[in-house]
Amino acid sequence: MLSRVADHLYWFSRYLRRAENTARLVGVGSLLQLDLPRSVRFTWRPMIATVGAEALFTGVHPEPEDADVLDFLLLDARNPSSLRTSVDSAREILRGIRDALPQEVWEAVNDLHLYIDADGERVLTRRYRLEFINRITDGCLKVSGLLAANVSRDIGFHFLRLGTAIEQADMTTRIIDAGASGLVTPRNEDDREAYQNMQWMAVLRALAAYQMYRRHVRQRVSGTHALRFLLHNAEFPRSVQFCLTRVQRILPAMPPRPPVERALTRATGLVRQADPVLLAAGDPARFMDEAQVYLGQLHQAIAGGYFAG
C-alpha cells in the first residue's frame, strides 16, 4: 500500500473518532448542567485547556463567554481540533481515497457535514445541545459500523483500526481530564466530594461507559473506581488500556517498526503503573497530560515508521 493512502486511512479514522469524542467532551458539561442545582457555579472554560488550545482560544476570544467556548470547541473552523474541522478534514481525506472505502461511508460523512452546516448553531443554545451531540455521536458510530462491517481485512483496515485506537485512547484521557478540571465550583467544602462524584458520573455517561461500569465495578461511582475502569479495564473498548492492547494486537500484521514497538511499550507501561487511588486523591489532570505526551510520541513513531517518504 502507498504510504500516502495508509496515512489518509489512519487520519480519516482519527478525525472521525475525534469528532465523536469532541461531541462527547461537550456532553460531559451538558450532562453536569442538567444534574447540578442552579446555585452551583459551572464554567466551560477549563475544557479549552483540556484540548490543548488555550493560546489559540485566548487570541481569538480575549474576553470569552461560555458561548464562545462552545463555539470554539464545536463549530470554529479556526480551531484545528473543533468538531466541524474534524468532520470537514475526514470528508476531504475521503475525497482522495473514495475508491478505498465503501460509497456508504462517503454518504454518511457527507450527511454529518451537511447537518453541522445546517443546524450547528443550535448547539449554542442549551435546549438543543444534547440533541445535537446525540446526532453527531450517532452519525460517527454509523460510519464506524459501516467500516467494521463492509471493509476488507487487509493492511488498509489495520491502519484504520490503528488510528481509531490511538485517537480513542487520547480522547478518553482528555474527557477524564475535563471531568477533573474544575468545571464545577461547590458552594462549600462539605459539598465537594458529592459534586466530584457527579462529575465522574458525567464522564462515564459521556463515554457511554456507565452501564458497563456498573456491570464490572458494582460500586457507587467515585473518582478512584471511575479512573480504574477508564484507565485499566481490559474489556471496555474506550478504556485506555483496551486501546493500547488493540494497537499491540494490530502491529504483528503490519511491517515491523521497532520505534513504534518501543513507544507503545512506554505508553502501556505508564498506564499500567498508574495508581487510581493516588490519582483520585491528587491531580488526575497532570497524569492525563503525561499520558497524552506518551500517546503523541507513539503517533510520531507511527508517522515516521509508516508514512514518511
Side-chain angles (χ1 to χ4, degrees):
M1 171 173 284
L2 293 174
S3 61
R4 178 187 64 83
V5 176
D7 182 43
H8 284 348
L9 290 168
Y10 171 84
W11 272 110
F12 171 76
S13 62
R14 288 204 66 162
Y15 282 128
L16 179 69
R17 192 52 64 100
R18 185 174 300 175
E20 178 196 340
N21 281 278
T22 300
R24 292 184 182 280
L25 179 66
V26 173
V28 173
S30 300
L31 293 169
L32 272 173
Q33 280 191 310
L34 290 176
D35 293 338
L36 291 170
R38 292 184 178 274
S39 58
V40 178
R41 183 173 180 270
F42 176 89
T43 177
W44 289 94
R45 180 63 185 267
M47 286 195 178
I48 299 298
T50 297
V51 299
E54 186 75 31
L56 178 59
F57 179 75
T58 303
V60 174
H61 299 287
E63 298 180 3
E65 299 179 356
D66 282 350
D68 296 323
V69 177
L70 289 167
D71 180 73
F72 185 80
L73 289 171
L74 296 174
L75 304 177
D76 197 332
R78 294 169 293 184
N79 175 12
S81 297
S82 74
L83 170 66
R84 167 171 274 151
T85 303
S86 297
V87 171
D88 287 351
S89 297
R91 183 171 177 265
E92 286 306 307
I93 286 174
L94 204 50
R95 285 181 183 275
I97 57 168
R98 285 175 66 173
D99 58 339
L101 295 175
Q103 174 67 19
E104 295 86 353
V105 173
W106 163 259
E107 293 171 358
V109 172
N110 199 47
D111 283 347
L112 279 173
H113 165 78
L114 295 174
Y115 176 73
I116 294 169
D117 273 358
D119 294 336
E121 297 299 326
R122 299 176 73 192
V123 78
L124 301 180
T125 61
R126 187 171 174 176
R127 178 179 179 182
Y128 298 107
R129 192 171 303 141
L130 284 176
E131 177 186 331
F132 178 87
I133 288 168
N134 290 336
R135 172 68 175 79
I136 293 297
T137 54
D138 287 350
C140 291
L141 289 172
K142 177 182 177 180
V143 178
S144 296
L146 289 169
L147 293 172
N150 299 337
V151 175
S152 298
R153 269 46 176 178
D154 55 12
I155 188 68
F157 184 71
H158 295 319
F159 279 110
L160 286 170
R161 294 176 67 218
L162 195 61
T164 296
I166 291 173
E167 187 65 30
Q168 184 61 62
D170 180 77
M171 291 302 293
T172 295
T173 65
R174 293 183 188 276
I175 292 173
I176 293 172
D177 194 349
S181 62
L183 298 174
V184 175
T185 303
R187 290 167 291 187
N188 55 67
E189 282 301 312
D190 293 339
D191 295 332
R192 182 171 295 277
E193 182 178 355
Y195 288 138
Q196 283 180 340
N197 291 343
M198 289 176 70
Q199 289 185 86
W200 288 115
M201 176 82 77
V203 168
L204 289 167
R205 288 167 64 191
L207 283 165
Y210 180 59
Q211 285 184 293
M212 293 301 101
Y213 171 90
R214 292 185 62 186
R215 177 180 171 185
H216 286 277
V217 180
R218 301 187 180 184
Q219 298 279 347
R220 292 180 62 184
V221 174
S222 68
T224 298
H225 293 312
L227 283 165
R228 181 176 289 114
F229 181 74
L230 293 174
L231 289 176
H232 292 157
N233 189 276
E235 298 175 346
F236 181 62
R238 296 185 192 274
S239 83
V240 180
Q241 185 62 56
F242 184 99
C243 293
L244 292 175
T245 300
R246 174 174 286 179
V247 174
Q248 198 170 36
R249 291 173 178 170
I250 293 169
L251 291 183
M254 303 175 71
R257 297 291 187 271
V260 175
E261 295 167 10
R262 288 194 294 269
L264 176 60
T265 299
R266 289 194 295 269
T268 302
L270 176 76
V271 173
R272 284 180 176 167
Q273 292 169 19
D275 186 338
V277 176
L278 295 178
L279 290 178
D283 183 8
R286 181 178 299 178
F287 174 81
M288 300 308 149
D289 291 343
E290 187 177 6
Q292 288 154 27
V293 170
Y294 277 64
L295 290 167
Q297 293 171 351
L298 175 57
H299 160 71
Q300 292 297 331
I302 290 169
Y306 294 113
F307 310 141

